[in-house]
mmCIF file of all heavy atoms in Angstrom:
data_model
loop_
_atom_site.group_PDB
_atom_site.id
_atom_site.type_symbol
_atom_site.label_atom_id
_atom_site.label_comp_id
_atom_site.label_asym_id
_atom_site.label_seq_id
_atom_site.Cartn_x
_atom_site.Cartn_y
_atom_site.Cartn_z
ATOM 1 N N SER A 1 24.967 8.033 -44.182
ATOM 2 C CA SER A 1 26.126 7.408 -44.825
ATOM 3 C C SER A 1 26.440 8.036 -46.174
ATOM 4 O O SER A 1 27.395 7.626 -46.840
ATOM 5 C CB SER A 1 25.872 5.903 -45.027
ATOM 6 O OG SER A 1 25.560 5.269 -43.808
ATOM 7 N N ARG A 2 25.620 8.993 -46.611
ATOM 8 C CA ARG A 2 25.750 9.681 -47.900
ATOM 9 C C ARG A 2 25.473 8.766 -49.086
ATOM 10 O O ARG A 2 25.836 9.060 -50.220
ATOM 11 C CB ARG A 2 27.132 10.318 -48.052
ATOM 12 C CG ARG A 2 27.446 11.401 -47.043
ATOM 13 C CD ARG A 2 26.688 12.696 -47.337
ATOM 14 N NE ARG A 2 27.266 13.363 -48.496
ATOM 15 C CZ ARG A 2 26.598 13.634 -49.619
ATOM 16 N NH1 ARG A 2 25.332 13.296 -49.753
ATOM 17 N NH2 ARG A 2 27.196 14.239 -50.617
ATOM 18 N N LEU A 3 24.794 7.631 -48.824
ATOM 19 C CA LEU A 3 24.359 6.774 -49.931
ATOM 20 C C LEU A 3 23.167 7.405 -50.641
ATOM 21 O O LEU A 3 22.968 7.201 -51.838
ATOM 22 C CB LEU A 3 24.001 5.380 -49.412
ATOM 23 C CG LEU A 3 25.147 4.611 -48.734
ATOM 24 C CD1 LEU A 3 24.642 3.281 -48.204
ATOM 25 C CD2 LEU A 3 26.300 4.395 -49.700
ATOM 26 N N TYR A 4 22.339 8.138 -49.887
ATOM 27 C CA TYR A 4 21.235 8.910 -50.450
ATOM 28 C C TYR A 4 21.507 10.390 -50.233
ATOM 29 O O TYR A 4 22.208 10.774 -49.291
ATOM 30 C CB TYR A 4 19.902 8.569 -49.769
ATOM 31 C CG TYR A 4 19.337 7.202 -50.041
ATOM 32 C CD1 TYR A 4 18.247 6.731 -49.317
ATOM 33 C CD2 TYR A 4 19.887 6.354 -51.005
ATOM 34 C CE1 TYR A 4 17.707 5.473 -49.550
ATOM 35 C CE2 TYR A 4 19.365 5.105 -51.241
ATOM 36 C CZ TYR A 4 18.276 4.660 -50.516
ATOM 37 O OH TYR A 4 17.751 3.426 -50.736
ATOM 38 N N ARG A 5 20.934 11.200 -51.092
ATOM 39 C CA ARG A 5 21.006 12.653 -50.939
ATOM 40 C C ARG A 5 19.707 13.173 -50.341
ATOM 41 O O ARG A 5 18.613 12.713 -50.692
ATOM 42 C CB ARG A 5 21.253 13.310 -52.297
ATOM 43 C CG ARG A 5 22.581 12.966 -52.935
ATOM 44 C CD ARG A 5 22.767 13.664 -54.263
ATOM 45 N NE ARG A 5 22.754 15.109 -54.123
ATOM 46 C CZ ARG A 5 22.862 15.963 -55.136
ATOM 47 N NH1 ARG A 5 22.975 15.495 -56.375
ATOM 48 N NH2 ARG A 5 22.862 17.260 -54.922
ATOM 49 N N CYS A 6 19.831 14.143 -49.442
ATOM 50 C CA CYS A 6 18.651 14.794 -48.885
ATOM 51 C C CYS A 6 18.108 15.797 -49.903
ATOM 52 O O CYS A 6 18.872 16.548 -50.506
ATOM 53 C CB CYS A 6 18.997 15.531 -47.596
ATOM 54 S SG CYS A 6 19.729 14.511 -46.317
ATOM 55 N N ASP A 7 16.794 15.805 -50.079
ATOM 56 C CA ASP A 7 16.180 16.811 -50.942
ATOM 57 C C ASP A 7 16.038 18.144 -50.213
ATOM 58 O O ASP A 7 16.124 19.208 -50.822
ATOM 59 C CB ASP A 7 14.805 16.324 -51.426
ATOM 60 C CG ASP A 7 14.929 15.108 -52.334
ATOM 61 O OD1 ASP A 7 15.713 15.166 -53.295
ATOM 62 O OD2 ASP A 7 14.240 14.100 -52.081
ATOM 63 N N THR A 8 15.801 18.057 -48.910
ATOM 64 C CA THR A 8 15.706 19.265 -48.085
ATOM 65 C C THR A 8 16.391 19.004 -46.753
ATOM 66 O O THR A 8 16.596 17.857 -46.356
ATOM 67 C CB THR A 8 14.234 19.658 -47.825
ATOM 68 O OG1 THR A 8 13.565 18.570 -47.155
ATOM 69 C CG2 THR A 8 13.513 19.961 -49.133
ATOM 70 N N GLY A 9 16.730 20.086 -46.049
ATOM 71 C CA GLY A 9 17.305 19.969 -44.723
ATOM 72 C C GLY A 9 18.811 19.772 -44.728
ATOM 73 O O GLY A 9 19.476 19.887 -45.759
ATOM 74 N N ASP A 10 19.344 19.438 -43.574
ATOM 75 C CA ASP A 10 20.781 19.283 -43.410
ATOM 76 C C ASP A 10 21.043 18.279 -42.297
ATOM 77 O O ASP A 10 20.172 18.012 -41.452
ATOM 78 C CB ASP A 10 21.421 20.631 -43.057
ATOM 79 C CG ASP A 10 22.920 20.676 -43.356
ATOM 80 O OD1 ASP A 10 23.474 19.632 -43.747
ATOM 81 O OD2 ASP A 10 23.515 21.753 -43.194
ATOM 82 N N ILE A 11 22.240 17.703 -42.296
ATOM 83 C CA ILE A 11 22.684 16.792 -41.247
ATOM 84 C C ILE A 11 24.050 17.274 -40.783
ATOM 85 O O ILE A 11 24.982 17.371 -41.588
ATOM 86 C CB ILE A 11 22.782 15.339 -41.752
ATOM 87 C CG1 ILE A 11 21.421 14.851 -42.258
ATOM 88 C CG2 ILE A 11 23.285 14.431 -40.639
ATOM 89 C CD1 ILE A 11 21.478 13.500 -42.961
ATOM 90 N N LEU A 12 24.168 17.577 -39.499
ATOM 91 C CA LEU A 12 25.413 18.092 -38.940
ATOM 92 C C LEU A 12 26.063 17.035 -38.055
ATOM 93 O O LEU A 12 25.410 16.460 -37.184
ATOM 94 C CB LEU A 12 25.158 19.357 -38.120
ATOM 95 C CG LEU A 12 24.457 20.508 -38.846
ATOM 96 C CD1 LEU A 12 24.244 21.672 -37.888
ATOM 97 C CD2 LEU A 12 25.253 20.955 -40.062
ATOM 98 N N PHE A 13 27.338 16.781 -38.295
ATOM 99 C CA PHE A 13 28.119 15.849 -37.486
ATOM 100 C C PHE A 13 29.292 16.611 -36.898
ATOM 101 O O PHE A 13 30.143 17.128 -37.634
ATOM 102 C CB PHE A 13 28.607 14.683 -38.343
ATOM 103 C CG PHE A 13 29.470 13.697 -37.606
ATOM 104 C CD1 PHE A 13 28.935 12.921 -36.594
ATOM 105 C CD2 PHE A 13 30.817 13.563 -37.914
ATOM 106 C CE1 PHE A 13 29.722 12.008 -35.905
ATOM 107 C CE2 PHE A 13 31.614 12.660 -37.238
ATOM 108 C CZ PHE A 13 31.064 11.883 -36.227
ATOM 109 N N ASP A 14 29.307 16.731 -35.583
ATOM 110 C CA ASP A 14 30.323 17.556 -34.909
ATOM 111 C C ASP A 14 30.331 18.971 -35.474
ATOM 112 O O ASP A 14 31.387 19.581 -35.658
ATOM 113 C CB ASP A 14 31.710 16.924 -35.039
ATOM 114 C CG ASP A 14 32.018 15.966 -33.898
ATOM 115 O OD1 ASP A 14 31.297 16.011 -32.879
ATOM 116 O OD2 ASP A 14 32.973 15.177 -34.011
ATOM 117 N N GLY A 15 29.156 19.492 -35.785
ATOM 118 C CA GLY A 15 29.014 20.849 -36.284
ATOM 119 C C GLY A 15 29.290 21.034 -37.758
ATOM 120 O O GLY A 15 29.202 22.154 -38.266
ATOM 121 N N ARG A 16 29.602 19.953 -38.456
ATOM 122 C CA ARG A 16 29.956 20.020 -39.876
ATOM 123 C C ARG A 16 28.864 19.357 -40.708
ATOM 124 O O ARG A 16 28.410 18.262 -40.385
ATOM 125 C CB ARG A 16 31.282 19.296 -40.094
ATOM 126 C CG ARG A 16 31.749 19.201 -41.538
ATOM 127 C CD ARG A 16 32.994 18.325 -41.616
ATOM 128 N NE ARG A 16 33.535 18.264 -42.961
ATOM 129 C CZ ARG A 16 34.567 17.506 -43.330
ATOM 130 N NH1 ARG A 16 35.152 16.728 -42.422
ATOM 131 N NH2 ARG A 16 34.996 17.496 -44.564
ATOM 132 N N SER A 17 28.466 20.002 -41.786
ATOM 133 C CA SER A 17 27.427 19.448 -42.644
ATOM 134 C C SER A 17 27.939 18.212 -43.375
ATOM 135 O O SER A 17 28.954 18.258 -44.071
ATOM 136 C CB SER A 17 26.957 20.484 -43.662
ATOM 137 O OG SER A 17 26.022 19.889 -44.565
ATOM 138 N N LEU A 18 27.218 17.098 -43.216
ATOM 139 C CA LEU A 18 27.579 15.879 -43.932
ATOM 140 C C LEU A 18 27.288 15.982 -45.429
ATOM 141 O O LEU A 18 27.845 15.228 -46.228
ATOM 142 C CB LEU A 18 26.815 14.678 -43.357
ATOM 143 C CG LEU A 18 27.246 14.164 -41.989
ATOM 144 C CD1 LEU A 18 26.421 12.939 -41.615
ATOM 145 C CD2 LEU A 18 28.730 13.815 -41.977
ATOM 146 N N LEU A 19 26.425 16.908 -45.805
ATOM 147 C CA LEU A 19 26.043 17.024 -47.209
ATOM 148 C C LEU A 19 27.213 17.491 -48.076
ATOM 149 O O LEU A 19 27.172 17.351 -49.303
ATOM 150 C CB LEU A 19 24.865 17.990 -47.365
ATOM 151 C CG LEU A 19 23.623 17.695 -46.505
ATOM 152 C CD1 LEU A 19 22.479 18.586 -46.927
ATOM 153 C CD2 LEU A 19 23.231 16.224 -46.586
ATOM 154 N N LYS A 20 28.247 18.011 -47.423
ATOM 155 C CA LYS A 20 29.429 18.463 -48.152
ATOM 156 C C LYS A 20 30.573 17.448 -48.109
ATOM 157 O O LYS A 20 31.650 17.703 -48.644
ATOM 158 C CB LYS A 20 29.904 19.804 -47.572
ATOM 159 C CG LYS A 20 28.856 20.907 -47.641
ATOM 160 C CD LYS A 20 29.329 22.164 -46.943
ATOM 161 C CE LYS A 20 28.251 23.249 -46.961
ATOM 162 N NZ LYS A 20 28.692 24.467 -46.228
ATOM 163 N N VAL A 21 30.327 16.315 -47.462
ATOM 164 C CA VAL A 21 31.359 15.299 -47.314
ATOM 165 C C VAL A 21 31.147 14.200 -48.361
ATOM 166 O O VAL A 21 30.074 13.606 -48.420
ATOM 167 C CB VAL A 21 31.328 14.667 -45.903
ATOM 168 C CG1 VAL A 21 32.413 13.613 -45.766
ATOM 169 C CG2 VAL A 21 31.484 15.741 -44.835
ATOM 170 N N PRO A 22 32.156 13.898 -49.194
ATOM 171 C CA PRO A 22 32.017 12.792 -50.153
ATOM 172 C C PRO A 22 31.764 11.484 -49.412
ATOM 173 O O PRO A 22 32.292 11.275 -48.312
ATOM 174 C CB PRO A 22 33.368 12.766 -50.879
ATOM 175 C CG PRO A 22 33.973 14.105 -50.627
ATOM 176 C CD PRO A 22 33.475 14.558 -49.283
ATOM 177 N N ARG A 23 30.980 10.605 -50.011
ATOM 178 C CA ARG A 23 30.607 9.378 -49.317
ATOM 179 C C ARG A 23 31.819 8.523 -48.944
ATOM 180 O O ARG A 23 31.798 7.826 -47.924
ATOM 181 C CB ARG A 23 29.606 8.575 -50.144
ATOM 182 C CG ARG A 23 30.125 8.074 -51.473
ATOM 183 C CD ARG A 23 29.047 7.344 -52.249
ATOM 184 N NE ARG A 23 27.907 8.216 -52.558
ATOM 185 C CZ ARG A 23 26.920 7.867 -53.369
ATOM 186 N NH1 ARG A 23 26.914 6.680 -53.946
ATOM 187 N NH2 ARG A 23 25.930 8.703 -53.613
ATOM 188 N N HIS A 24 32.902 8.588 -49.743
ATOM 189 C CA HIS A 24 34.063 7.765 -49.422
ATOM 190 C C HIS A 24 34.870 8.339 -48.256
ATOM 191 O O HIS A 24 35.825 7.699 -47.797
ATOM 192 C CB HIS A 24 34.974 7.598 -50.655
ATOM 193 C CG HIS A 24 35.589 8.868 -51.145
ATOM 194 N ND1 HIS A 24 34.914 9.757 -51.943
ATOM 195 C CD2 HIS A 24 36.828 9.398 -50.942
ATOM 196 C CE1 HIS A 24 35.706 10.779 -52.227
ATOM 197 N NE2 HIS A 24 36.866 10.587 -51.633
ATOM 198 N N ARG A 25 34.475 9.515 -47.755
ATOM 199 C CA ARG A 25 35.152 10.112 -46.601
ATOM 200 C C ARG A 25 34.364 9.927 -45.300
ATOM 201 O O ARG A 25 34.838 10.336 -44.234
ATOM 202 C CB ARG A 25 35.350 11.612 -46.832
ATOM 203 C CG ARG A 25 36.231 11.956 -48.039
ATOM 204 C CD ARG A 25 37.650 11.545 -47.823
ATOM 205 N NE ARG A 25 38.516 11.968 -48.921
ATOM 206 C CZ ARG A 25 39.746 11.526 -49.098
ATOM 207 N NH1 ARG A 25 40.266 10.664 -48.236
ATOM 208 N NH2 ARG A 25 40.472 11.927 -50.128
ATOM 209 N N ILE A 26 33.201 9.340 -45.366
ATOM 210 C CA ILE A 26 32.340 9.233 -44.187
ATOM 211 C C ILE A 26 33.009 8.427 -43.072
ATOM 212 O O ILE A 26 33.004 8.824 -41.910
ATOM 213 C CB ILE A 26 30.981 8.619 -44.566
ATOM 214 C CG1 ILE A 26 30.164 9.606 -45.409
ATOM 215 C CG2 ILE A 26 30.202 8.225 -43.324
ATOM 216 C CD1 ILE A 26 29.790 10.888 -44.684
ATOM 217 N N ALA A 27 33.587 7.282 -43.410
ATOM 218 C CA ALA A 27 34.266 6.479 -42.387
ATOM 219 C C ALA A 27 35.438 7.244 -41.798
ATOM 220 O O ALA A 27 35.702 7.178 -40.587
ATOM 221 C CB ALA A 27 34.738 5.156 -42.983
ATOM 222 N N GLY A 28 36.135 8.001 -42.635
ATOM 223 C CA GLY A 28 37.308 8.729 -42.191
ATOM 224 C C GLY A 28 37.012 9.841 -41.198
ATOM 225 O O GLY A 28 37.861 10.168 -40.362
ATOM 226 N N ILE A 29 35.812 10.420 -41.265
ATOM 227 C CA ILE A 29 35.484 11.499 -40.319
ATOM 228 C C ILE A 29 34.912 10.956 -39.014
ATOM 229 O O ILE A 29 34.657 11.723 -38.085
ATOM 230 C CB ILE A 29 34.509 12.527 -40.932
ATOM 231 C CG1 ILE A 29 33.136 11.916 -41.210
ATOM 232 C CG2 ILE A 29 35.097 13.146 -42.188
ATOM 233 C CD1 ILE A 29 32.086 12.943 -41.614
ATOM 234 N N GLY A 30 34.688 9.632 -38.961
ATOM 235 C CA GLY A 30 34.290 9.046 -37.680
ATOM 236 C C GLY A 30 32.909 8.447 -37.622
ATOM 237 O O GLY A 30 32.339 8.340 -36.530
ATOM 238 N N ILE A 31 32.345 8.026 -38.744
ATOM 239 C CA ILE A 31 31.036 7.370 -38.752
ATOM 240 C C ILE A 31 31.199 5.947 -39.275
ATOM 241 O O ILE A 31 31.621 5.733 -40.411
ATOM 242 C CB ILE A 31 30.013 8.135 -39.623
ATOM 243 C CG1 ILE A 31 29.808 9.549 -39.081
ATOM 244 C CG2 ILE A 31 28.676 7.383 -39.670
ATOM 245 C CD1 ILE A 31 28.853 10.390 -39.908
ATOM 246 N N GLY A 32 30.882 4.965 -38.422
ATOM 247 C CA GLY A 32 30.926 3.560 -38.811
ATOM 248 C C GLY A 32 29.527 3.000 -38.888
ATOM 249 O O GLY A 32 28.610 3.491 -38.230
ATOM 250 N N ARG A 33 29.358 1.931 -39.691
ATOM 251 C CA ARG A 33 28.009 1.414 -39.904
ATOM 252 C C ARG A 33 28.011 -0.096 -40.125
ATOM 253 O O ARG A 33 28.913 -0.644 -40.746
ATOM 254 C CB ARG A 33 27.390 2.091 -41.123
ATOM 255 C CG ARG A 33 26.002 1.560 -41.442
ATOM 256 C CD ARG A 33 25.396 2.171 -42.665
ATOM 257 N NE ARG A 33 24.096 1.579 -42.917
ATOM 258 C CZ ARG A 33 23.277 1.934 -43.895
ATOM 259 N NH1 ARG A 33 23.619 2.898 -44.735
ATOM 260 N NH2 ARG A 33 22.115 1.326 -44.046
ATOM 261 N N THR A 34 26.957 -0.740 -39.612
ATOM 262 C CA THR A 34 26.629 -2.097 -40.021
ATOM 263 C C THR A 34 25.371 -2.016 -40.873
ATOM 264 O O THR A 34 24.687 -0.989 -40.906
ATOM 265 C CB THR A 34 26.367 -3.025 -38.822
ATOM 266 O OG1 THR A 34 25.192 -2.590 -38.125
ATOM 267 C CG2 THR A 34 27.556 -3.024 -37.868
ATOM 268 N N PHE A 35 25.058 -3.125 -41.564
ATOM 269 C CA PHE A 35 23.937 -3.129 -42.495
ATOM 270 C C PHE A 35 22.886 -4.154 -42.083
ATOM 271 O O PHE A 35 23.195 -5.167 -41.445
ATOM 272 C CB PHE A 35 24.417 -3.423 -43.917
ATOM 273 C CG PHE A 35 25.227 -2.311 -44.517
ATOM 274 C CD1 PHE A 35 26.581 -2.200 -44.243
ATOM 275 C CD2 PHE A 35 24.635 -1.358 -45.330
ATOM 276 C CE1 PHE A 35 27.338 -1.169 -44.782
ATOM 277 C CE2 PHE A 35 25.380 -0.320 -45.874
ATOM 278 C CZ PHE A 35 26.734 -0.225 -45.597
ATOM 279 N N GLN A 36 21.638 -3.873 -42.490
ATOM 280 C CA GLN A 36 20.535 -4.776 -42.189
ATOM 281 C C GLN A 36 20.804 -6.157 -42.795
ATOM 282 O O GLN A 36 20.597 -7.184 -42.157
ATOM 283 C CB GLN A 36 19.233 -4.195 -42.749
ATOM 284 C CG GLN A 36 18.005 -5.050 -42.483
ATOM 285 C CD GLN A 36 16.741 -4.391 -43.019
ATOM 286 O OE1 GLN A 36 16.760 -3.232 -43.438
ATOM 287 N NE2 GLN A 36 15.655 -5.117 -43.005
ATOM 288 N N ASN A 37 21.252 -6.175 -44.051
ATOM 289 C CA ASN A 37 21.674 -7.405 -44.707
ATOM 290 C C ASN A 37 23.196 -7.443 -44.687
ATOM 291 O O ASN A 37 23.850 -6.479 -45.076
ATOM 292 C CB ASN A 37 21.165 -7.452 -46.149
ATOM 293 C CG ASN A 37 19.651 -7.423 -46.228
ATOM 294 O OD1 ASN A 37 18.979 -8.166 -45.510
ATOM 295 N ND2 ASN A 37 19.119 -6.566 -47.082
ATOM 296 N N LEU A 38 23.748 -8.541 -44.217
ATOM 297 C CA LEU A 38 25.197 -8.642 -44.060
ATOM 298 C C LEU A 38 25.924 -8.261 -45.343
ATOM 299 O O LEU A 38 25.555 -8.696 -46.431
ATOM 300 C CB LEU A 38 25.577 -10.069 -43.664
ATOM 301 C CG LEU A 38 25.228 -10.490 -42.228
ATOM 302 C CD1 LEU A 38 25.518 -11.965 -42.034
ATOM 303 C CD2 LEU A 38 25.982 -9.659 -41.214
ATOM 304 N N ALA A 39 26.959 -7.447 -45.199
ATOM 305 C CA ALA A 39 27.736 -6.985 -46.352
ATOM 306 C C ALA A 39 29.203 -7.360 -46.162
ATOM 307 O O ALA A 39 30.093 -6.527 -46.270
ATOM 308 C CB ALA A 39 27.577 -5.480 -46.531
ATOM 309 N N LEU A 40 29.422 -8.634 -45.843
ATOM 310 C CA LEU A 40 30.776 -9.123 -45.599
ATOM 311 C C LEU A 40 31.362 -9.760 -46.858
ATOM 312 O O LEU A 40 30.629 -10.124 -47.786
ATOM 313 C CB LEU A 40 30.762 -10.167 -44.478
ATOM 314 C CG LEU A 40 30.344 -9.657 -43.096
ATOM 315 C CD1 LEU A 40 30.102 -10.841 -42.156
ATOM 316 C CD2 LEU A 40 31.400 -8.735 -42.514
ATOM 317 N N PHE A 41 32.685 -9.904 -46.863
ATOM 318 C CA PHE A 41 33.369 -10.655 -47.916
ATOM 319 C C PHE A 41 33.388 -12.114 -47.466
ATOM 320 O O PHE A 41 34.249 -12.528 -46.683
ATOM 321 C CB PHE A 41 34.777 -10.107 -48.124
ATOM 322 C CG PHE A 41 34.805 -8.671 -48.568
ATOM 323 C CD1 PHE A 41 35.043 -7.654 -47.660
ATOM 324 C CD2 PHE A 41 34.565 -8.339 -49.898
ATOM 325 C CE1 PHE A 41 35.059 -6.323 -48.063
ATOM 326 C CE2 PHE A 41 34.582 -7.013 -50.311
ATOM 327 C CZ PHE A 41 34.827 -6.005 -49.392
ATOM 328 N N ARG A 42 32.456 -12.893 -47.963
ATOM 329 C CA ARG A 42 32.168 -14.214 -47.395
ATOM 330 C C ARG A 42 33.293 -15.223 -47.604
ATOM 331 O O ARG A 42 33.439 -16.158 -46.818
ATOM 332 C CB ARG A 42 30.858 -14.753 -47.971
ATOM 333 C CG ARG A 42 29.653 -13.924 -47.538
ATOM 334 C CD ARG A 42 28.355 -14.455 -48.159
ATOM 335 N NE ARG A 42 28.136 -15.872 -47.889
ATOM 336 C CZ ARG A 42 27.686 -16.361 -46.744
ATOM 337 N NH1 ARG A 42 27.400 -15.519 -45.750
ATOM 338 N NH2 ARG A 42 27.496 -17.648 -46.587
ATOM 339 N N THR A 43 34.097 -15.069 -48.649
ATOM 340 C CA THR A 43 35.174 -16.029 -48.889
ATOM 341 C C THR A 43 36.467 -15.634 -48.182
ATOM 342 O O THR A 43 37.434 -16.395 -48.198
ATOM 343 C CB THR A 43 35.454 -16.177 -50.398
ATOM 344 O OG1 THR A 43 35.834 -14.909 -50.945
ATOM 345 C CG2 THR A 43 34.205 -16.683 -51.131
ATOM 346 N N MET A 44 36.462 -14.467 -47.549
ATOM 347 C CA MET A 44 37.642 -14.019 -46.815
ATOM 348 C C MET A 44 37.535 -14.413 -45.353
ATOM 349 O O MET A 44 36.451 -14.720 -44.847
ATOM 350 C CB MET A 44 37.796 -12.493 -46.942
ATOM 351 C CG MET A 44 38.208 -12.044 -48.335
ATOM 352 S SD MET A 44 38.058 -10.249 -48.593
ATOM 353 C CE MET A 44 38.976 -9.583 -47.212
#
């Protein structure tokens, strides 16, 4: 999700390195995520 940076190695998504993708673009390139602890807007 690009919340952490890798110290070594690489991660390729559809042949493209995720390490070069800004974290705010991750959803836009096609990666969705849920969280271990709910991260919802509870009053909405």
Side-chain angles (χ1 to χ4, degrees):
S1 304
R2 297 286 287 120
L3 299 177
Y4 291 170
R5 296 181 61 182
C6 303
D7 294 309
T8 59
D10 201 355
I11 300 171
L12 304 179
F13 178 67
D14 270 345
R16 176 186 184 184
S17 175
L18 287 183
L19 306 189
K20 301 175 182 178
V21 180
R23 64 183 61 171
H24 64 279
R25 298 292 185 193
I26 290 296
I29 66 171
I31 299 178
R33 178 182 178 177
T34 65
F35 291 83
Q36 181 178 351
N37 299 313
L38 288 174
L40 295 169
F41 298 99
R42 294 178 54 78
T43 60
M44 289 168 53

